[in-house]
Amino acid sequence: MSLVIFNASRVIEDLRELDRRTGDVNGAQRLCWGTKWREARAYLTELLAEIGIEPELDEAGNLWARLEGESKPGLALGSHLDSVPDGGWLDGALGVMAALGVLRAWTGAAEPPPRDLVLVDWADEEGARFGRSLFGSSAFAGTLEPAEVRDLRDSDGRAIADVLKENGVDLDRAPRAAAQQDGIGGYLELHIEQGPLLERERISVAAVSGCTGIERKRFTFRGQASHAGTTPMDQRRDAGLAAAATALAAERIPAAEGGVATAGALTLRPGIPTAVPGEAVLTVDLRNPDAAALARMLEVARVAARAAATQRGCELSEEPIWRIDPIGFDEELVDLALDVTHDAAGRGEAMTSGALHDAAEVARVLPAAMLFCPSKAGISHAKEEDTAEPDLKIGIETLMALVGKVLSARD
Amino acid sequence: MSLVIFNASRVIEDLRELDRRTGDVNGAQRLCWGTKWREARAYLTELLAEIGIEPELDEAGNLWARLEGESKPGLALGSHLDSVPDGGWLDGALGVMAALGVLRAWTGAAEPPPRDLVLVDWADEEGARFGRSLFGSSAFAGTLEPAEVRDLRDSDGRAIADVLKENGVDLDRAPRAAAQQDGIGGYLELHIEQGPLLERERISVAAVSGCTGIERKRFTFRGQASHAGTTPMDQRRDAGLAAAATALAAERIPAAEGGVATAGALTLRPGIPTAVPGEAVLTVDLRNPDAAALARMLEVARVAARAAATQRGCELSEEPIWRIDPIGFDEELVDLALDVTHDAAGRGEAMTSGALHDAAEVARVLPAAMLFCPSKAGISHAKEEDTAEPDLKIGIETLMALVGKVLSARD
């Protein structure tokens, strides 16, 4: 293999410039399919042009940039440029700019890489606008069903198909992005942890063994709205209290089963100080890397919701919002990732990601693995999101080292 | 005293016509200071014209209609024509139309009443538009402070002073409505119970001894918003769960202290399924007819909120929304009301109102009392609000009888 000079500092400079162009005082504003997101892609396209590569879009709006190597299939590297509103500068952008750094290093080498190196910027990982996460990567993996998302609208009431069209994407044709699988033999993604574990352990980089499974449900409790002053306590059917009891019961589940449980959204109707709530809609998000434990968590949550509803004379209904089985990454790639994190004094064991990532979709159809950098105070999806610069450099350099290992191992 | 022929059926006809003119399929729409409310007053003015009385408005927008009697001060009878949005046909309107029925009966008599009879339609009892209940009656009682309400806006963002101005009311001059006290020596109000007690007891009418005291607080819990997937349970500062625990603690208070406790509104931020709530705003409404018990209820609620906040690492702040001491009605008037309800096979004991009424404000400055009719299924503030017609007639006739008693007693 020829000498390849990798510049992690340049990757960080690119990230800071991206943030200057597409962020504001409230944080990153690269909401997918919007102006700032398109500006982010325009900047990425500028940077690719500097190294003589012209990107292409697939039918789902994913951006692909291929550096030809000596053989195929290619090794894909990437993440997503889109952010939540008022998001952080690193979530997603780190993996894309680090991938660009890898391509840049290889274009400066005397010989082409042993295999094609392919940068991918997945479209709409966050789902922050329409509530459907992993849009582009699920289209790639063959799990996007246009009929299931067609009715989604953003907070301005605009239909997803119309917004996609403005970005040159035809919703019905989006599943054709799966054809991109043909040219790709594996996938690596560097991302920030978005949690506090690595910071607490004072570790700069970790291999990720897979993504947790998720059961996300919406429980609706229907009681009877009534006057707060004239309804005796023993004649109330208080849907809000049934939901509150369910949220507290969910909090106790991880003590027995591991994982995490979150009651993130609760809406009361009529939701005024002077009325007993007649309806309450509660979301419960359960996560566990073990599929059997995840199933038990859901069953315990359902039993608690039923008991809380019965106790207060409420009817209960349940709707699925989202679910995904735990997804393990490719064992061979995870072992290679552990080798390079070991060399970088990183974490001795691979960790499970509690967040979803594009790599989870990709892993359905291709060998995939991830690396994590620490997040300061575990904060993400906020302007405070940050990673100490030495940690960032180690993470970026570890990705480069992992690419080298994979190219050597499969050369 | 001369023969006075009272027609309770006509009062019910007037109520049904009012509902036809100002309600729709979703219920009563007489939101104060709006078009339908003005139409309701126009209809009342038509009905007053039929009996030769022209109403006047005071500086707070209260409507007064005086039938001259043989002496002064007058006996006031009334309630409010305004309703909540999608409200019921009887809440407030019953007391106004019944008062009109009393005046109509006396205008048909051979002699004038022993004292002036004065119909009053209080402005904005509900506070449904700006959140300030008892606007007109508190101006009459001298407890309305313009500075305390000046910043209130409706859901369209319109300032209260501007909306009042459109209705000919100058907010700064509203307290001058207190001058109306001069012509009035007592106040009687017929209202629906808005609760299930009378229906459960199969009773058609009851005397009311006073209005419960209320402590209404807004508790804000501030923790840390964080990622639902990556934040370990032991590192969360979940404001939503702190609020849920407080709501459940409030529910338990009446078992020890009597009264009622309601957690009617709860808002989570960011309030999305995938984030641990970083902020939660909970309203707690506590009611008790006993002032000391009410104070203890508040103290227990505060202790529970502090404990819930501490347990989950949240900061707690508390804001008052509204408070009112328990208000007892005039003992002599309540005794007379018990006499007439006894004659009508009504409730043997006076009951406490768990809801607020204009009579509570009036009772600060004048002898006042109320009568209650039952509410079907205890429902109010909804289109289902109703009272069986025989019960309505008994309630309306009992008010007439009470007016007769009061006029005789004080004649």
Side-chain angles (χ1 to χ4, degrees):
Chain A
M1 201 185 288
S2 58
L3 182 67
V4 180
I5 298 171
F6 184 67
N7 187 345
S9 298
R10 172 68 199 274
V11 171
I12 296 172
E13 282 168 29
D14 292 345
L15 284 163
R16 294 209 191 281
E17 177 61 20
L18 176 71
D19 189 41
R20 272 189 291 273
R21 292 185 182 209
T22 60
D24 61 23
V25 291
N26 295 311
Q29 305 296 349
R30 300 184 294 274
L31 187 66
C32 201
W33 315 116
T35 309
K36 287 288 175 188
W37 173 72
R38 287 192 293 263
E39 286 178 27
R41 283 201 154 176
Y43 178 52
L44 175 62
T45 302
E46 277 178 39
L47 295 175
L48 283 164
E50 285 180 12
I51 56 172
I53 299 177
E54 192 175 341
E56 293 180 1
L57 298 183
D58 68 21
E59 290 87 343
N62 300 311
L63 180 149
W64 299 90
R66 182 175 291 257
L67 173 64
E68 300 282 336
E70 289 172 353
S71 69
K72 298 188 185 300
L75 175 63
L77 312 169
S79 192
H80 58 95
L81 284 180
D82 73 297
S83 76
V84 298
D86 300 345
W89 69 301
L90 294 171
D91 178 0
L94 172 60
V96 175
M97 291 304 181
L100 172 66
V102 175
L103 268 61
R104 185 188 287 123
W106 277 96
T107 54
E111 293 170 26
R115 292 162 56 195
D116 287 4
L117 285 174
V118 185
L119 176 152
V120 56
D121 168 29
W122 302 107
D124 203 1
E125 191 268 353
E126 298 288 1
R129 186 159 173 186
F130 294 101
R132 184 5 166 149
S133 303
L134 309 182
F135 180 88
S137 51
S138 66
F140 172 84
T143 60
L144 177 72
E145 298 285 349
E148 289 177 5
V149 301
R150 195 177 311 281
D151 293 339
L152 297 176
R153 289 176 183 274
D154 65 14
S155 58
D156 292 333
R158 304 200 57 214
I160 188 170
D162 296 340
V163 173
L164 290 176
K165 204 170 195 176
E166 287 178 1
N167 287 272
V169 174
D170 176 342
L171 177 58
D172 289 309
R173 290 171 54 92
R176 301 193 188 190
Q180 298 292 330
Q181 291 176 26
D182 284 346
I184 311 292
Y187 176 71
L188 300 175
E189 181 172 352
L190 172 67
H191 206 282
I192 52 168
E193 180 198 349
Q194 306 182 278
L197 184 70
L198 294 180
E199 182 180 80
R200 196 171 43 177
E201 295 180 348
R202 296 170 187 275
I203 278 178
S204 301
V205 67
V208 184
S209 57
C211 285
T212 188
I214 302 179
E215 291 281 1
R216 194 176 297 156
K217 299 287 184 183
R218 183 182 292 117
F219 291 111
T220 300
F221 300 86
R222 286 191 183 82
Q224 175 62 54
S226 57
H227 193 296
T230 61
T231 314
M233 297 307 288
D234 63 359
Q235 294 192 31
R236 296 183 173 208
R237 295 171 55 205
D238 190 323
L241 294 174
T246 304
L248 291 169
E251 183 194 23
R252 293 187 291 270
I253 298 175
E257 298 292 350
V260 289
T262 306
L266 173 57
T267 307
L268 305 183
R269 292 195 182 90
I272 58 174
T274 54
V276 175
E279 185 179 299
V281 181
L282 175 76
T283 65
V284 175
D285 178 288
L286 306 168
R287 306 196 186 201
N288 204 302
D290 179 87
L294 181 62
R296 288 193 300 271
M297 291 179 82
L298 177 58
E299 189 47 36
V300 174
R302 283 172 164 156
V303 168
R306 278 196 295 266
T310 302
Q311 189 182 343
R312 290 179 180 81
C314 296
E315 289 164 23
L316 172 66
S317 61
E318 175 194 312
E319 292 165 279
I321 301 175
W322 169 263
R323 78 168 307 286
I324 190 167
D325 285 318
I327 291 184
F329 292 146
D330 181 73
E331 285 186 24
E332 189 184 341
L333 285 182
V334 174
D335 282 346
L336 292 176
L338 277 170
D339 286 349
V340 291
T341 53
H342 180 265
D343 294 345
R347 195 165 198 261
E349 288 179 17
M351 63 186 287
T352 301
S353 172
L356 272 179
H357 294 288
D358 293 307
E361 284 290 347
V362 178
R364 297 175 188 275
V365 292
L366 285 179
M370 292 186 78
L371 294 171
F372 273 176
C373 281
S375 294
K376 281 187 185 174
I379 294 171
S380 184
H381 286 194
K383 67 177 191 291
E384 294 82 6
E385 175 189 286
D386 202 10
T387 301
E389 189 150 329
D391 289 334
L392 267 187
K393 282 185 80 166
I394 290 171
I396 295 165
E397 284 164 356
T398 304
L399 175 71
M400 179 69 187
L402 178 56
V403 171
K405 280 262 187 194
V406 173
L407 292 180
S408 306
R410 301 199 176 181
D411 197 9
Chain B
M1 198 185 289
S2 60
L3 181 67
V4 180
I5 298 170
F6 184 66
N7 187 344
S9 298
R10 171 68 200 272
V11 172
I12 297 173
E13 282 168 30
D14 292 346
L15 284 164
R16 294 207 192 281
E17 177 62 19
L18 176 70
D19 189 40
R20 273 189 291 274
R21 292 186 183 209
T22 59
D24 62 23
V25 290
N26 296 311
Q29 305 297 349
R30 300 185 294 274
L31 188 67
C32 201
W33 315 116
T35 309
K36 289 287 174 188
W37 174 73
R38 287 192 293 263
E39 286 178 27
R41 283 202 154 174
Y43 178 54
L44 174 63
T45 302
E46 278 178 38
L47 295 175
L48 284 164
E50 284 179 13
I51 56 172
I53 299 177
E54 192 175 340
E56 292 181 1
L57 298 184
D58 68 21
E59 289 87 342
N62 301 311
L63 180 149
W64 299 90
R66 182 175 291 258
L67 173 63
E68 299 284 336
E70 289 173 352
S71 70
K72 300 190 184 301
L75 174 63
L77 313 169
S79 192
H80 58 95
L81 285 180
D82 73 297
S83 76
V84 297
D86 300 345
W89 69 299
L90 295 170
D91 178 1
L94 171 61
V96 175
M97 291 304 181
L100 172 66
V102 175
L103 267 62
R104 185 187 288 124
W106 278 96
T107 55
E111 294 171 25
R115 291 163 57 195
D116 288 3
L117 285 175
V118 185
L119 176 151
V120 57
D121 168 29
W122 302 108
D124 203 0
E125 190 267 354
E126 297 288 359
R129 185 159 172 186
F130 294 103
R132 185 1 167 154
S133 302
L134 310 180
F135 179 89
S137 51
S138 67
F140 173 85
T143 61
L144 177 72
E145 298 285 350
E148 289 177 5
V149 302
R150 195 178 311 280
D151 293 338
L152 297 177
R153 290 176 182 273
D154 66 13
S155 58
D156 292 332
R158 303 199 58 211
I160 187 169
D162 295 340
V163 173
L164 290 176
K165 204 170 194 178
E166 286 178 359
N167 287 273
V169 174
D170 176 341
L171 176 58
D172 289 310
R173 291 171 54 91
R176 301 193 187 191
Q180 298 292 330
Q181 292 177 24
D182 285 346
I184 311 291
Y187 175 71
L188 300 176
E189 180 172 353
L190 172 66
H191 206 282
I192 52 168
E193 180 199 349
Q194 306 183 277
L197 184 69
L198 294 180
E199 181 180 79
R200 198 170 43 177
E201 296 179 349
R202 296 170 186 275
I203 279 177
S204 301
V205 67
V208 183
S209 58
C211 286
T212 188
I214 302 179
E215 291 282 1
R216 194 177 297 157
K217 298 288 183 183
R218 184 182 292 117
F219 291 111
T220 300
F221 300 86
R222 287 193 182 81
Q224 175 63 54
S226 58
H227 193 296
T230 61
T231 314
M233 298 307 289
D234 63 359
Q235 294 193 29
R236 295 182 174 210
R237 295 171 56 204
D238 190 323
L241 293 174
T246 304
L248 291 169
E251 184 193 23
R252 293 187 291 269
I253 298 174
E257 299 291 352
V260 290
T262 306
L266 173 57
T267 306
L268 305 183
R269 291 195 183 87
I272 57 173
T274 54
V276 175
E279 185 179 300
V281 182
L282 175 77
T283 66
V284 175
D285 178 287
L286 306 169
R287 305 196 187 202
N288 204 303
D290 180 86
L294 181 62
R296 289 193 300 271
M297 290 179 82
L298 177 58
E299 189 48 34
V300 174
R302 283 173 165 156
V303 168
R306 276 196 296 267
T310 302
Q311 190 183 340
R312 290 180 181 78
C314 296
E315 289 164 23
L316 171 66
S317 61
E318 174 193 312
E319 291 165 280
I321 301 175
W322 169 264
R323 77 166 310 284
I324 189 166
D325 285 320
I327 292 184
F329 291 145
D330 181 73
E331 285 187 22
E332 190 183 341
L333 284 181
V334 174
D335 283 345
L336 293 176
L338 276 170
D339 287 349
V340 292
T341 53
H342 180 264
D343 295 344
R347 195 165 198 263
E349 288 179 16
M351 63 186 286
T352 301
S353 173
L356 273 179
H357 295 288
D358 293 307
E361 283 291 346
V362 178
R364 298 175 188 274
V365 293
L366 284 179
M370 291 186 79
L371 295 171
F372 273 175
C373 281
S375 295
K376 281 188 184 172
I379 294 172
S380 184
H381 285 193
K383 67 177 191 291
E384 294 83 5
E385 175 189 287
D386 201 10
T387 301
E389 189 149 331
D391 289 335
L392 267 186
K393 282 184 83 164
I394 290 170
I396 294 164
E397 284 164 355
T398 304
L399 175 71
M400 180 68 186
L402 178 56
V403 171
K405 280 263 187 195
V406 174
L407 291 180
S408 306
R410 301 199 176 180
D411 199 11

